[in-house]
Amino acid sequence: MRGGGLLVAGTTSDAGKSVVTAGICRWLVRQGVKVAPFKGQNMSLNSFVTREGAEIGRAQAMQAQAARVEPTALMNPVLLKPGGDRSSQVVLMGRPVGEMSARGYHGGRQQTLFEPVLACLEELRATHDAVICEGAGSPAEINLRRTDIVNMGIARAARLPVVVVGDIDRGGVFAQFFGTTALLAPEDQELIAGYLVNKFRGDVTLLEPGLDMLHGLTGRRTFGVLPYAHGLGIDEEDGLRVSLRGTVRESVVAPPLGADVLRVAVCAVPLMSNFTDVDALAAEPGVIVRFVDRPEELADADLVVVPGTRGTVKALAWLRERGLADAIARRAAEGRPVLGICGGFQALGEHIEDEVESKAGAVDGLGLLPVRVRFAREKTLARPVGEALGERVEGYEIHHGVADVRGGEPFLDGCRVGSVWGTHWHGSLESDGFRRAFLREVAAAAGRAFVPAPDTSFHTLREEQLDRLGDLIEEHADTDALLRLIEEGAPKGLPFVPPGAP
């Protein structure tokens, strides 16, 4: 096999495209297939930095891990990072190329990106046995079909067979499958090979008559029914779910080692980015992570995290409006732990000069760390390695703000003053030794008899999750049929389902 491909589309956003794509990648690589993930255009504030210094969607980095390959910009050539309801930063081949309104993007810019996107896909297909592509939203967004470069536009150009995923847990999945197909043009319908039901609960034999009727209505088969799997969250494009939290909460073999648990409150700031930073905390037995938006919710927290954001100045205003800023300042004065990451680190500083992100000019920070921040037009994208609390730390940086640290104890690229820490490094808590040392510091400052588990490996937990995704595909999908699709393309003679695209 060389250059085979498949597009995993969805009836809606959050239907399960990302995890199904990852599951197929993990299943294929276990069969000895050299596979790569691909998403032509991604809209997400959850991003990652590749080793060559390119910014891509974190979901594609996760899928690359599932495929056991190094993530590259080829896997996500266009990344849109929302800065508000109507505009996004456009990242092309891992580098920002400007801000653009949704109207401006869909009005012309998107079409100019089609050739680079297609070229990236073809390069991956030339160097891999198979490329598993993820769509975005729904392929039946009839208002956007003309400029589509991620769903049927790329499928038709590259002659990719398409499997449509539907979330049955939400209800209405048969109507979604039928309606998605029936709203596509005949040329697009030719590539819709069939369907994959996701998040099914109960007796599958009760579902089978509906699947038979769907086949009669559309002429297309269902390639599998994936059961609802608890605790199976993996890096998502957006949302507030802590990816590994479910695993820890459901575990009966990993109770807290000490007498106490640690409670972590994460401020749910606007335009929150890389909320996956706290996944590694949630993976620790006895650590309870929750997202909060009220000062009262900080009262019993042993650690408050101010996370990254695409809008530092907006997040500052939100913290002040909600009363969270005062609550965080009181914590700091009492010696209770606070951690700021990236935009959260910037917010904890003394002063911000921003003529780039918010264009607000001079803005006072919370004044908890001796740091002054100036926003540069050039974005910092890096994969730093360092040491903190006597442990090796790896991370990644994605920020326009340049920090001038004027005091405190050095902490990664930031600083620490008492029980307040700040750093630009995303992903640092995934370094197991450092995470344990940090939690010991937090427990001591909070007066908790909490003991971090000596053997929690975030990498191992992630691998176990990816293997579970591969198992779901292997055990509940028709893998022989999926492999034929990848190798041979969509079956010939698939019937047209009226009315088609308007």
Side-chain angles (χ1 to χ4, degrees):
M1 184 198 309
R2 174 62 71 180
L6 176 71
L7 176 69
V8 179
T11 57
T12 63
S13 294
D14 202 32
K17 297 183 292 292
S18 295
V19 294
V20 168
T21 299
I24 294 174
C25 285
R26 177 50 58 102
W27 162 67
L28 283 171
V29 76
R30 294 194 308 207
Q31 311 309 308
V33 176
K34 185 180 180 183
V35 58
F38 177 80
K39 186 164 186 173
Q41 172 197 292
N42 194 351
M43 176 173 279
S44 179
L45 290 174
N46 224 15
S47 59
F48 182 76
V49 179
T50 67
R51 294 205 179 278
E52 72 267 29
E55 184 179 9
I56 66 172
R58 190 164 169 109
Q60 279 61 66
M62 173 271 294
Q63 291 161 357
Q65 185 177 344
R68 296 180 180 147
V69 294
E70 189 67 32
T72 73
L74 291 172
M75 298 172 184
N76 180 207
V78 179
L79 174 63
L80 306 178
K81 302 193 72 175
D85 292 337
R86 297 188 178 183
S87 67
S88 295
Q89 183 180 66
V90 181
V91 178
L92 176 61
M93 292 304 294
R95 295 288 173 181
V97 294
E99 295 279 337
M100 187 164 291
S101 69
R103 180 178 292 275
Y105 183 70
H106 290 287
R109 181 61 187 270
Q110 187 177 31
Q111 289 172 294
T112 68
L113 299 174
F114 184 75
E115 289 304 322
V117 166
L118 189 58
C120 289
L121 173 58
E122 292 309 315
E123 186 171 343
L124 286 174
R125 294 181 79 176
T127 54
H128 292 78
D129 299 330
V131 179
I132 308 303
C133 306
E134 179 188 346
S138 161
E141 306 289 359
I142 55 180
N143 56 317
L144 302 177
R145 175 62 185 90
R146 182 179 60 83
T147 58
D148 171 47
I149 64 172
V150 65
N151 289 307
M152 300 313 300
I154 198 76
R156 197 193 297 188
R159 303 308 300 170
L160 293 172
V162 180
V163 172
V164 182
V165 178
D167 179 357
I168 197 170
D169 195 52
R170 295 181 174 185
V173 75
F174 293 118
Q176 293 170 18
F177 284 145
F178 182 86
T180 296
T181 308
L183 279 177
L184 298 177
E187 296 83 359
D188 290 342
Q189 288 195 25
E190 289 176 2
L191 299 172
I192 302 294
Y195 314 108
L196 195 63
V197 176
N198 192 29
K199 299 182 185 178
F200 179 73
R201 307 173 193 248
D203 184 350
V204 73
T205 61
L206 299 177
L207 187 67
E208 288 171 350
L211 300 179
D212 291 340
M213 285 185 274
L214 181 67
H215 183 271
L217 289 166
T218 67
R220 289 158 175 85
R221 58 167 299 183
T222 298
F223 289 94
V225 178
L226 307 182
Y228 194 105
H230 293 278
L232 198 57
I234 296 288
D235 294 354
E236 299 178 84
E237 292 178 357
D238 284 301
L240 287 181
R241 186 167 65 192
V242 182
S243 299
L244 293 176
R245 185 176 183 178
T247 301
V248 175
R249 282 180 160 242
E250 292 169 13
S251 174
V252 295
V253 296
L257 268 68
D260 290 340
V261 298
L262 280 185
R263 294 174 174 84
V264 179
V266 184
C267 297
V269 297
L271 299 175
M272 181 165 50
S273 62
N274 291 74
F275 57 88
T276 48
D277 282 332
V278 298
D279 284 1
L281 294 178
E284 285 285 348
V287 176
I288 301 168
V289 176
R290 66 183 187 271
F291 290 88
V292 304
D293 60 2
R294 297 174 61 88
E296 296 85 357
E297 296 176 288
L298 304 189
D300 67 342
D302 301 304
L303 170 66
V304 169
V305 177
V306 187
T309 171
R310 246 281 273 160
T312 300
V313 170
K314 182 179 290 188
L316 263 170
W318 182 87
L319 290 168
R320 288 177 168 131
E321 290 165 1
R322 296 267 175 159
L324 287 160
D326 289 340
I328 292 170
R330 287 194 298 270
R331 288 184 62 88
E334 295 165 0
R336 302 174 67 196
V338 177
L339 171 65
I341 302 174
C342 201
F345 165 44
Q346 297 165 6
L348 296 179
E350 297 172 345
H351 186 77
I352 294 172
E353 289 285 341
D354 181 11
E355 299 292 350
V356 176
E357 191 175 76
S358 69
K359 299 179 173 61
V363 178
D364 288 332
L366 299 185
L368 302 182
L369 291 174
V371 177
R372 299 178 74 85
V373 176
R374 176 185 56 82
F375 275 71
R377 297 196 178 279
E378 186 72 19
K379 181 184 282 191
T380 296
L381 297 169
R383 289 278 294 271
V385 177
E387 184 177 303
L389 305 179
E391 300 285 347
R392 186 176 187 274
V393 187
E394 295 184 29
Y396 57 100
E397 295 184 66
I398 307 169
H399 54 92
H400 284 278
V402 179
D404 177 12
V405 179
R406 300 186 172 189
E409 301 175 43
F411 177 68
L412 303 178
D413 69 330
C415 64
R416 171 188 182 180
V417 175
S419 61
V420 181
W421 292 265
T423 177
H424 273 132
W425 291 20
H426 294 291
S428 61
L429 293 166
E430 295 178 18
S431 298
D432 297 325
F434 166 69
R435 182 180 63 256
R436 288 191 277 269
F438 177 72
L439 289 175
R440 283 192 289 269
E441 294 259 350
V442 168
R448 297 288 187 188
F450 170 84
V451 179
D455 56 354
T456 301
S457 166
F458 186 80
H459 176 77
T460 299
L461 286 171
R462 174 54 52 85
E463 281 295 305
E464 289 173 356
Q465 296 288 70
L466 294 172
D467 276 332
R468 288 183 68 196
L469 291 178
D471 292 344
L472 283 175
I473 297 299
E474 187 169 346
E475 295 168 10
H476 299 282
D478 186 339
T479 52
D480 289 339
L482 288 177
L483 197 57
R484 284 195 298 274
L485 281 182
I486 293 167
E487 293 178 333
E488 302 171 10
K492 304 299 182 184
L494 291 169
F496 172 71
V497 180

